Amino acid sequence: MDEIFEIVENIFSSDGFMPRWICGQWSETLGWLYIMANIATGLAYLSIPILLYKFVKNRKERIFNRVFICFMLFIFFCGTTHFVDAIIFWFPVYRLNAVVLSMTALISWITVFVLYRFLPKALQYRSPADLQLIIEEQTKDLAIAYQKLSISENQFKTLVNSNPDIITRIDKNLTYQFINESISKVRDLGSENIIGKNMRDVQGEGDNQINESFIRHVESVFKTNKTETFEFETHTNSNQNNYFQLSIIPLDNLAGEMPEDVLTITRNITQQKLYELELKSNIDNLELLADRIEKKRKILEDFTYIVSHNLRSPVANLAALLNLLKDETDDATRNMFIEKIDIAFENLSSTVTDLTNVVRIRQNTEIPKEELFYQDIVSKHIINLEMQIKETDSTIAYDFDACEKINYPKVYLESIFLNLLTNAINYRSPKRAPQIIFKSYIDEDGMITLTCQDNGIGINLEKHGAKLFGLNKTFHDHPDAKGTGLFITKNQVETMGGIIYAESKVDQGTKFIIYFNVNNSLI
């Protein structure tokens, strides 16, 4: 071990050795031949690693790096031994030569080991002839595949072009990459006039709004990566308007990123849309017919209640007068009763006539209106209810100065006043004589209002307010309570476009407020 350290320490020393020129019988020719051969071989050995390095450096793949490095080191040290061997002729640096030879031996065995490990892999690589054969075979396969692809592409183009839907492919720059020939059925354009152009540069006359909507949806699909669909109507080259449904579908990106292209499918849905419009029209007509039937039903139902309600009081009044006439012996009083009976009969006859007219027009949903004066209606009812008014000591007042008349169906208005009047009399307070006040109003917007206020027993609206105008709903134990009068009144008012509501306190009376013409189109 000490000798090795001594060799390394004196690696460049020539002590103990003699130059090779003086060792042996070297002739000039033999010596220089030996020296020049070593120098030439050394230079050749040193040139090979340089060339290998340039080769490796210019290659993109790095699959043989370790092998090339081992070869370069092996060849470099081999060349170095030849240079040292030439120098020994003048400088006997045998110690340096031994070290270089030792390094060369080490590198040589490392190279052997690497080659041993690499050899199985190297045997797997094909020879140029094999590669050329493979290339030729694959070229034939590619040619066959290309031919099949061309056939498939032609078939696909034929299929797409024969599709009645307009199919396009648009990139993220809004440039048309493809469009089938179906566009010519809608626009006087061929695919060659569209492919390669921006969406904003391709639009028909008057289609700016549709095209901008189209562009907005395409941009949205690129941002959201979700399919979008919308419908539009446009004028086509067949000189008629058509309806279309346009679907925009993002094309999947192999990298899983946002789409680079979208597929659009524009389908003509004119026939479907016309069917939908026709169906909607039929439904609207059916709803209108159903509404008319319902109105007729309500009118007939109201008419039934009106007949019962409007005839009951005049008949009762007439019956009471006839009973009084039977028991009366005084001629003057009898004549007075007869006159009243004539008037009551006349009013009854008028009511029957009005009801008969309603029967004649019951097939019509629109009930004719006429100009009516409130005072005339109230006066007529006061005469018809004379006996009830006298028996209950009722006081009836009215103020129609603000609005004295209205255009309204006569049978409805008479029924409304009669129901309000009889309701106030029937539900009078036992503590005081009934006082009933009618008033009319009209505001600056033409809203006509009628109020009927009494001092009767009142209604607990918190308890019964929701059922106040319900059919057959009664809130007191009055023998004449039928629960139909207010129901009829509410339906009549609402049928003619108005509203009715009540304000009331128990034992203080009730006030009914009617707005006749909330919906002016019905008044």
Side-chain angles (χ1 to χ4, degrees):
M1 198 68 178
D2 292 337
E3 290 185 14
I4 293 175
F5 284 122
E6 189 270 334
I7 292 172
V8 173
E9 288 177 358
N10 301 290
I11 191 169
F12 294 105
S13 174
S14 60
D15 293 341
F17 298 98
M18 297 178 65
R20 187 171 289 175
W21 275 116
I22 59 177
C23 293
Q25 296 179 358
W26 291 93
S27 66
E28 286 288 330
T29 303
L30 179 61
W32 280 107
L33 180 62
Y34 190 91
I35 292 168
M36 294 306 296
N38 274 309
I39 291 174
T41 303
L43 288 173
Y45 271 117
L46 291 180
S47 299
I48 292 172
I50 295 172
L51 294 174
L52 286 176
Y53 172 75
K54 288 185 176 181
F55 173 77
V56 173
K57 183 179 179 182
N58 292 327
R59 296 284 294 184
K60 293 182 179 179
E61 62 273 9
R62 301 280 192 248
I63 56 175
F64 305 139
N65 274 1
R66 286 185 296 177
V67 175
F68 276 109
I69 289 171
C70 289
F71 264 110
M72 285 188 287
L73 289 173
F74 166 69
I75 296 171
F76 174 79
F77 277 100
C78 286
T80 304
T81 60
H82 285 281
F83 280 118
V84 174
D85 201 26
I87 292 171
I88 288 175
F89 272 83
W90 292 281
F91 304 101
V93 285
Y94 285 98
R95 293 181 183 85
L96 174 62
N97 193 31
V99 171
V100 171
L101 287 171
S102 299
M103 292 296 296
T104 303
L106 178 63
I107 293 299
S108 298
W109 279 107
I110 291 174
T111 303
V112 170
F113 177 75
V114 172
L115 279 173
Y116 177 77
R117 295 288 303 274
F118 171 75
L119 193 59
K121 293 182 181 178
L123 292 174
Q124 294 177 2
Y125 291 104
R126 302 300 183 95
S127 66
D130 291 338
L131 291 175
Q132 182 63 34
L133 183 60
I134 291 172
I135 291 172
E136 290 175 359
E137 290 177 354
Q138 290 185 348
T139 302
K140 290 179 182 178
D141 292 340
L142 286 174
I144 295 171
Y146 178 77
Q147 185 178 9
K148 291 180 179 179
L149 181 62
S150 298
I151 294 172
S152 298
E153 184 179 359
N154 290 332
Q155 290 175 344
F156 176 75
K157 285 183 178 180
T158 302
L159 178 64
V160 170
N161 285 325
S162 62
N163 193 312
D165 299 337
I166 302 171
I167 301 173
T168 73
R169 182 166 62 87
I170 302 171
D171 66 18
K172 63 193 310 180
N173 296 320
L174 305 183
T175 302
Y176 285 99
Q177 299 297 313
F178 171 80
I179 187 167
N180 65 346
E181 296 298 333
S182 296
I183 185 63
S184 60
K185 299 174 183 177
V186 179
R187 292 280 179 264
D188 293 325
L189 292 171
S191 58
E192 68 279 359
N193 302 119
I194 297 176
I195 295 174
K197 292 187 178 180
N198 190 278
M199 292 177 67
R200 289 189 169 87
D201 299 330
V202 182
Q203 59 186 25
E205 185 178 351
D207 282 350
N208 293 5
Q209 187 174 355
I210 297 172
N211 202 50
E212 286 302 318
S213 177
F214 184 15
I215 292 171
R216 283 196 304 272
H217 280 85
V218 169
E219 290 175 337
S220 176
V221 170
F222 276 117
K223 291 178 182 177
T224 63
N225 198 21
K226 293 182 179 178
T227 299
E228 293 192 13
T229 302
F230 73 100
E231 295 180 1
F232 63 91
E233 180 184 4
T234 187
H235 197 75
T236 65
N237 56 11
S238 59
N239 293 323
Q240 61 181 5
N241 276 14
N242 280 257
Y243 295 91
F244 294 89
Q245 182 186 69
L246 200 157
S247 299
I248 306 164
I249 306 164
L251 294 177
D252 290 338
N253 191 308
L254 294 177
E257 299 173 352
M258 299 306 286
E260 295 290 329
D261 301 274
V262 296
L263 186 73
T264 73
I265 302 174
T266 307
R267 178 165 298 168
N268 192 322
I269 57 170
T270 302
Q271 200 61 44
Q272 174 186 337
K273 203 70 177 178
L274 292 177
Y275 286 147
E276 287 179 6
L277 294 174
E278 184 179 359
L279 179 60
K280 185 178 182 302
S281 176
N282 291 336
I283 291 173
D284 291 341
N285 290 335
L286 287 174
E287 289 177 350
L288 182 61
L289 180 60
D291 185 59
R292 288 177 179 174
I293 292 172
E294 179 62 18
K295 284 184 178 180
K296 288 182 180 182
R297 186 194 67 78
K298 283 186 177 181
I299 290 172
L300 291 174
E301 184 179 55
D302 287 349
F303 174 74
T304 303
Y305 288 122
I306 290 169
V307 170
S308 173
H309 199 272
N310 286 21
L311 292 180
R312 190 193 321 159
S313 295
V315 169
N317 186 53
L318 188 59
L321 289 171
L322 288 171
N323 285 331
L324 291 174
L325 181 62
K326 288 178 185 178
D327 299 333
E328 187 59 54
T329 56
D330 182 68
D331 290 340
T333 304
R334 284 176 63 84
N335 289 334
M336 184 266 292
F337 281 140
I338 290 172
E339 289 178 3
K340 290 184 178 293
I341 288 172
D342 286 339
I343 294 171
F345 182 78
E346 221 175 275
N347 288 336
L348 179 61
S349 177
S350 176
T351 299
V352 171
T353 300
D354 290 337
L355 292 174
T356 302
N357 289 332
V358 172
V359 171
R360 288 174 182 168
I361 62 169
R362 67 186 183 275
Q363 296 301 321
N364 299 320
T365 58
E366 294 296 330
I367 300 177
K369 305 166 193 156
E370 54 186 293
E371 187 177 77
L372 302 171
F373 288 85
Y374 299 126
Q375 185 172 336
D376 292 344
I377 304 292
V378 174
S379 298
K380 177 181 177 181
H381 286 316
I382 290 174
I383 293 172
N384 287 336
L385 300 173
E386 182 178 6
M387 297 305 298
Q388 289 177 259
I389 293 170
K390 283 185 177 180
E391 289 172 359
T392 58
D393 197 21
S394 299
T395 301
I396 302 171
Y398 49 81
D399 178 8
F400 300 132
D401 291 340
C403 179
E404 59 182 12
K405 61 183 179 179
I406 186 174
N407 283 329
Y408 215 73
K410 184 178 179 182
V411 67
Y412 274 11
L413 192 62
E414 287 185 345
S415 178
I416 291 168
F417 269 96
L418 180 60
N419 283 329
L420 294 175
L421 191 54
T422 55
N423 189 75
I425 294 173
N426 289 339
Y427 298 106
R428 62 192 177 277
S429 172
K431 303 176 184 178
R432 50 192 174 270
Q435 291 184 348
I436 306 162
I437 303 173
F438 288 99
K439 291 191 73 173
S440 63
Y441 307 88
I442 184 168
D443 64 17
E444 58 184 10
D445 295 323
M447 176 68 71
I448 299 173
T449 308
L450 176 71
T451 64
C452 176
Q453 186 169 0
D454 63 56
N455 62 344
I457 57 178
I459 306 168
N460 186 342
L461 292 179
E462 291 184 3
K463 184 177 180 181
H464 303 298
K467 301 181 290 182
L468 179 60
F469 296 98
L471 180 62
N472 297 325
K473 301 297 181 182
T474 58
F475 313 103
H476 302 291
D477 296 330
H478 194 281
D480 291 333
K482 304 292 184 182
T484 58
L486 291 179
F487 173 77
I488 293 171
T489 299
K490 182 176 185 294
N491 276 272
Q492 290 166 339
V493 170
E494 290 182 349
T495 297
M496 301 310 297
I499 59 174
I500 180 172
Y501 67 96
E503 297 173 354
S504 183
K505 291 184 179 180
V506 176
D507 201 33
Q508 292 186 26
T510 302
K511 181 179 182 181
F512 288 95
I513 300 98
I514 300 174
Y515 293 103
F516 280 113
N517 55 338
V518 173
N519 186 347
N520 288 315
S521 65
L522 296 176
I523 300 299

